Amino acid sequence: MKLSKIALRNITRNKRRSLLSIVAIAVAAMSIAFLFSFLEGYKNDLADNLHTYYSGEIRVRHKDYGKNEYLNPLHLRIESFRGVIEEIEKNDAVEAVSPRISFPTGIYRKEDTYKAIGMGVDFQYEKAYQNLEDRIIEGVLPEMGKNQALIGVELARDIGVKTGDKITMISTTMRRGSNAITFRITGIVSFPVQAFNKSYLLVPLDRAQKLLRMNDSVTEIIMKLKKGSSGSEIAGQLVAAFRAAGREELETLSWEEIGTSYSFIEMASVTYNFMALFFFILASSVIINTTMMVIYERTREIGTIGAMGMIRGEIVRLFFIEALFLSFIGSLIGVLIGIGITIPLSIVGINFGSAMEGVSIEISEKIYPSLSLRSTIFVFFYSVMVASLASLIPSSKAARVEPAEALRNM
Amino acid sequence: MKRTVMALLVTLMVPASLWAISAEDIIKKLEKNTVTKTARIDGVMIINDRFGIKRSTFISYARGADTMLIEFTSVEEEGMKILRTRDEIYLFYPDAEELIRMQGAALKESVMGSDMSYEDMTGGRTLLQSYKVKLEGTEEIDGAPCYKVSMEAKKKGVPYYKQIMWIDKELFIYRKIHKFSRSGKLLKEIICDDVRQVSGKNIAFHMVLKDTMKRNSSTEFVINDIQINIPLKASIFSLEELTW
């Protein structure tokens, strides 16, 4: 009789035992598959937030801005920025552009001053860049040319303002003077990033330029690229374009080259990979443990088969094939359940809500797991391999038991 | 013999102690010289920092020791005003719909990016009301003999716990001031020169202020023109006038 046939018969003969093995392998495979999807979603979220709110996929600044950033060097700016945007938009790989001015500010309200970060943005560009309208929980977007502001939900709560209220923003101007303008709050926005909710308010770019006396300039232009585009390659093309246009004062960096941004992702990746590794080891130990227990339990049966004339190599192969069948079924079920959980959650997201309160890392309250075909296939084959190989140790050990010894214990 | 020598020494020392000036007297004379009934100053503030030199022109009006209005006239800050009353500091900006009253931590902020903080502008009381003073001796500053007077805060609420002033022995104007924190760390240094006499008062037309917490930074104040004890409308120093 063929070994595979005997293995199948063994599986169906003791249904409860086989089911136990399949369930253990399925749960482990499902957990790993989901964890991978979750961590992928987590990393995507982190990268997206950094690209949207901080560095973009490519960032253009004055070449000396970065090394003086802590001094708020507004004078190290991009002058005639619209010409720079025109140059950027000539590149087909660029999907969205956002010219910005970020500046520390004091918000004066009812004789108290609150520290905040102001951001001058062009709301027309911003609509495309970060779906800002969808994030407004109360009110509307400010209009360009008007002293209107959009405020982060937690900052609004801290200051005690609602839409329609007025605040006065005081800031250091480009020439290190001082200026203040009164703005009306037109909307309260819930950013996915806590830091923005707590500290930021957005004002029309032209009003920020007036407040900071920056004329027609911005401190940075960030951009997002079309999928599949290489940040460093497009940054290189833009550097050449700016140079040809005589804009050699500009520094153009892809997000991989922006130390803080990229190293943050790298650091996060290492942390998540460690988390995944520990979980992986845990799940693998469940599979190995279950498989080995099931085979050790059958030492006498193995001895009997040996007494009936089956040689040692055949016995090991038999149990290997049996484990292979069980792990194949278990892994397949586990991975399919993992996919089944991931797909709806990748649409509705997992809301960590209050758990993220007080967390200052650039992670959204809602994480959308992202299904990775490559890692899912890997999890399937890995689970099958671990379970099958785990059968080799106990079965080869049991096959070494003398048939007479095994029969004596019957 | 011993008694004779002792009597002689005592006789010699008594007149010396009678003639010696106390630290309190020095401070009183300093304040008598520096405080005017009214004053109008046309000046310039020059900030030197790592990004270069920035000049801001201003006109200031003062009444007594504790009321002052500064109106910036340079293009960059045009229309901005700072009003210091006895107890408060208010800022006026042309595009702000309200006056900003500086208080608490905001007082520690720099005035227009200079080495001077709003806190440095506060303090209506005389120095003797706020500080215990002690004459430490005499020293020369830029060739001018000066009294070295140390001052220690009598109570909380003063911007600097300790100060040392070098006050010109003849002109009764400070030549140098060191301002310290409670822990003894030097926070600010002020050096004055170009002393001229205007309407019977000795006025330093040039002052350099250094905030030691800022690297490569100093702020100069230069007086282009000063008028002392001129008639000034009381309303200049009112909040209503400030918003006009």
Side-chain angles (χ1 to χ4, degrees), chain B residues 72-212:
Chain B
F72 287 90
T73 51
S74 42
V75 176
E76 188 68 20
E77 298 88 14
E78 197 166 11
M80 186 200 163
K81 297 177 197 172
I82 302 173
L83 174 66
R84 176 196 153 183
T85 63
R86 188 174 177 81
D87 301 309
E88 309 284 356
I89 288 182
Y90 295 92
L91 307 183
F92 168 79
Y93 294 95
D95 289 311
E97 293 178 12
E98 57 190 328
L99 287 176
I100 293 162
R101 186 163 74 96
M102 300 302 280
Q103 56 180 345
L107 288 169
K108 296 210 178 289
E109 285 170 19
S110 147
V111 178
M112 318 293 289
S114 71
D115 291 61
M116 181 172 72
S117 67
Y118 291 102
E119 200 171 46
D120 291 332
M121 299 171 75
T122 60
R125 297 180 195 91
T126 68
L127 288 169
L128 292 175
Q129 281 177 301
S130 306
Y131 290 93
K132 284 185 290 184
V133 296
K134 188 182 167 192
L135 181 59
E136 301 284 354
T138 57
E139 278 179 20
E140 273 195 12
I141 301 293
D142 287 338
C146 293
Y147 295 113
K148 183 180 176 185
V149 179
S150 70
M151 303 194 291
E152 200 171 297
K154 286 180 178 172
K155 51 192 169 186
K156 287 181 182 173
V158 291
Y160 303 99
Y161 180 73
K162 194 182 167 191
Q163 297 191 46
I164 297 176
M165 280 188 182
W166 284 263
I167 298 161
D168 193 301
K169 284 173 107 172
E170 282 179 29
L171 304 174
F172 286 95
I173 186 162
Y174 48 73
R175 292 281 184 175
K176 186 161 95 171
I177 307 175
H178 279 175
K179 299 184 178 203
F180 301 87
S181 67
R182 182 174 274 270
S183 63
K185 189 175 174 60
L186 177 64
L187 299 174
K188 297 259 167 91
E189 183 188 65
I190 298 170
I191 294 170
C192 298
D193 53 23
D194 190 13
V195 181
R196 300 179 208 170
Q197 198 168 63
V198 180
S199 304
K201 300 272 184 187
N202 296 309
I203 309 286
F205 273 59
H206 182 242
M207 182 177 95
V208 180
L209 171 63
K210 276 186 187 171
D211 181 343
T212 58

Side-chain angles (χ1 to χ4, degrees), chain A residues 265-329:
Chain A
I265 293 270
E266 286 288 280
M267 194 179 73
S269 289
V270 171
T271 312
Y272 302 151
N273 287 341
F274 260 106
M275 281 166 61
L277 180 71
F278 281 113
F279 204 81
F280 213 67
I281 292 168
L282 192 71
S284 302
S285 72
V286 170
I287 297 173
I288 292 167
N289 192 40
T290 310
T291 313
M292 288 174 79
M293 287 297 287
V294 164
I295 295 172
Y296 272 132
E297 194 189 63
R298 294 161 67 190
T299 306
R300 287 174 189 171
E301 187 187 329
I302 292 168
T304 310
I305 299 168
M308 290 169 75
M310 192 177 273
I311 60 167
R312 192 182 294 168
E314 283 175 329
I315 294 170
V316 173
R317 275 207 302 281
L318 171 68
F319 281 87
F320 176 79
I321 292 166
E322 197 179 316
L324 187 71
F325 285 153
L326 288 171
S327 60
F328 185 86
I329 299 164

Side-chain angles (χ1 to χ4, degrees), chain A residues 111 166 168 178 182 213, chain B residues 49 76 93 97-98 101 103:
Chain A
E111 303 216 327
K166 284 184 174 178
T168 298
S178 173
T182 300
R213 301 184 196 273
Chain B
D49 64 18
E76 188 68 20
Y93 294 95
E97 293 178 12
E98 57 190 328
R101 186 163 74 96
Q103 56 180 345

Side-chain angles (χ1 to χ4, degrees), chain A residues 103-116:
Chain A
F103 55 97
T105 184
I107 298 175
Y108 185 74
R109 170 134 174 109
K110 292 184 179 168
E111 303 216 327
D112 272 322
T113 308
Y114 303 84
K115 283 195 172 154

Side-chain angles (χ1 to χ4, degrees), chain A residues 168-322:
Chain A
T168 298
M169 288 172 73
I170 315 160
S171 199
T172 303
T173 64
M174 181 181 77
R175 301 273 177 225
R176 304 182 309 289
S178 173
N179 199 11
I181 294 181
T182 300
F183 288 86
R184 183 182 292 282
I185 305 288
T186 62
I188 294 172
V189 62
S190 177
F191 294 103
V193 177
Q194 282 291 314
F196 265 66
N197 282 330
K198 280 182 182 174
S199 313
Y200 276 73
L201 69 169
L202 272 55
V203 297
L205 187 62
D206 56 318
R207 297 291 90 188
Q209 287 166 339
K210 184 177 167 67
L211 174 67
L212 307 167
R213 301 184 196 273
M214 285 182 66
N215 306 322
D216 191 29
S217 56
V218 294
T219 51
E220 64 181 15
I221 300 170
I222 58 174
M223 65 202 85
K224 284 183 178 175
L225 304 177
K226 286 179 183 155
K227 275 199 172 160
S229 307
S230 157
S232 50
E233 195 183 310
I234 305 302
Q237 291 170 10
L238 290 175
V239 168
F242 295 147
R243 200 167 290 156
R247 301 299 301 259
E248 284 173 358
E249 84 281 12
L250 300 179
E251 174 194 71
T252 308
L253 297 174
S254 71
W255 74 283
E256 292 97 332
E257 294 167 301
I258 300 167
T260 47
S261 180
Y262 189 65
S263 62
F264 198 80
I265 293 270
E266 286 288 280
M267 194 179 73
S269 289
V270 171
T271 312
Y272 302 151
N273 287 341
F274 260 106
M275 281 166 61
L277 180 71
F278 281 113
F279 204 81
F280 213 67
I281 292 168
L282 192 71
S284 302
S285 72
V286 170
I287 297 173
I288 292 167
N289 192 40
T290 310
T291 313
M292 288 174 79
M293 287 297 287
V294 164
I295 295 172
Y296 272 132
E297 194 189 63
R298 294 161 67 190
T299 306
R300 287 174 189 171
E301 187 187 329
I302 292 168
T304 310
I305 299 168
M308 290 169 75
M310 192 177 273
I311 60 167
R312 192 182 294 168
E314 283 175 329
I315 294 170
V316 173
R317 275 207 302 281
L318 171 68
F319 281 87
F320 176 79
I321 292 166
E322 197 179 316

